[in-house]
Amino acid sequence: KAGVTQTPRYLIKTRGQQVTLSCSPISGHRSVSWYQQTPGQGLQFLFEYFSETQRNKGNFPGRFSGRQFSNSRSEMNVSTLELGDSALYLCASRANTGPDTQYFGPGTRLTVL
Amino acid sequence: GNSVTQMEGPVTLSEEAFLTINCTYTATGYPSLFWYVQYPGEGLQLLLKATKADDKGSNKGFEATYRKETTSFHLEKGSVQVSDSAVYFCALQTGANNLFFGTGTRLTVIP
């Protein structure tokens, strides 16, 4: 099976812009989670989607949003970008919302100038 | 609440040395425990996991045992290689919830 794929791999934006990141889960996986990785804060959970519904959310401002499509692909959107949003954004998929193992994609490196 | 405390790095070892990276956790309920590895410029790869007390996860020569009595999940490898140089993350997951990660330990193996 193909792994989790994320596009684009690299992105450069300026403050105030918005950005959309995409994630395609492993075939058959219905749950997609997003994590932010920064040198200062480490790996932090953003949100999880299952069957097109957000089922869990981390402690991030409303500028961070997401959605999931009927084919389980997910997008994450960040509006009004701030310098502090520069990070590696990782997507992970798992088969269901139970205690299944999460498998990660390669990440999207976002740089905000 | 849930948290993971991981051995501070960086760790530098010579090739064929023995590796231990300490990890302890606090969790509500009965977590599954994981070690993920991140190579430069890449995402996280699952290295091994254990889902209940006394389980031993193993992969590529790495091992970790789920110790409920000491709330620990230390990573070990008997003989490291240069290719093992990476950042290692200990993580826990309770039920259907998200992963909680440690801060990561950077390992550098020198020839």
Side-chain angles (χ1 to χ4, degrees), chain B residues 49-67:
Chain B
K49 69 176 183 180
T51 58
K52 61 183 187 297
D54 299 324
D55 268 1
K56 177 186 283 189
S58 62
N59 186 26
K60 300 181 181 179
F62 290 90
E63 293 183 339
T65 301
Y66 189 141
R67 301 285 188 201

Side-chain angles (χ1 to χ4, degrees), chain A residues 10-27:
Chain A
Y10 302 91
L11 209 46
I12 299 175
K13 293 286 187 179
T14 55
R15 278 181 298 173
Q17 287 187 310
Q18 75 165 21
V19 67
T20 299
L21 313 181
S22 180
C23 171
S24 292
I26 291 170
S27 178

Side-chain angles (χ1 to χ4, degrees), chain A residues 9 35 37 43 45 55-56 88 94 97 99-102 104-106, chain B residues 34 36 38 41-44 46 49 89 93 95-99 101:
Chain A
R9 291 293 309 278
Y35 294 81
Q37 184 179 24
L43 281 152
F45 171 72
R55 64 170 303 278
N56 202 359
L88 181 66
R94 55 180 161 173
T97 60
D100 294 334
T101 301
Q102 296 190 41
F104 285 80
Chain B
F34 304 83
Y36 285 87
Q38 186 173 37
E42 298 185 11
L44 300 177
L46 177 66
K49 69 176 183 180
F89 292 91
Q93 180 176 305
N97 295 315
N98 53 283
L99 286 162
F101 288 91

Side-chain angles (χ1 to χ4, degrees), chain B residues 2 7 9 17 35 46 55 66 68-69 77-78 84 101 107:
Chain B
N2 297 319
M7 175 177 161
W35 279 98
L46 177 66
D55 268 1
Y66 189 141
K68 186 179 177 184
E69 63 275 12
K77 186 175 184 183
D84 294 328
F101 288 91
L107 169 66

Side-chain angles (χ1 to χ4, degrees), chain A residues 41-67:
Chain A
Q41 300 299 316
L43 281 152
Q44 294 185 286
F45 171 72
L46 281 155
F47 30 64
E48 179 186 12
Y49 286 85
F50 178 78
S51 292
E52 303 178 64
T53 301
Q54 186 182 91
R55 64 170 303 278
N56 202 359
K57 189 177 190 308
N59 188 27
F60 278 81
R63 299 185 298 107
F64 292 81
S65 63
R67 60 176 175 168

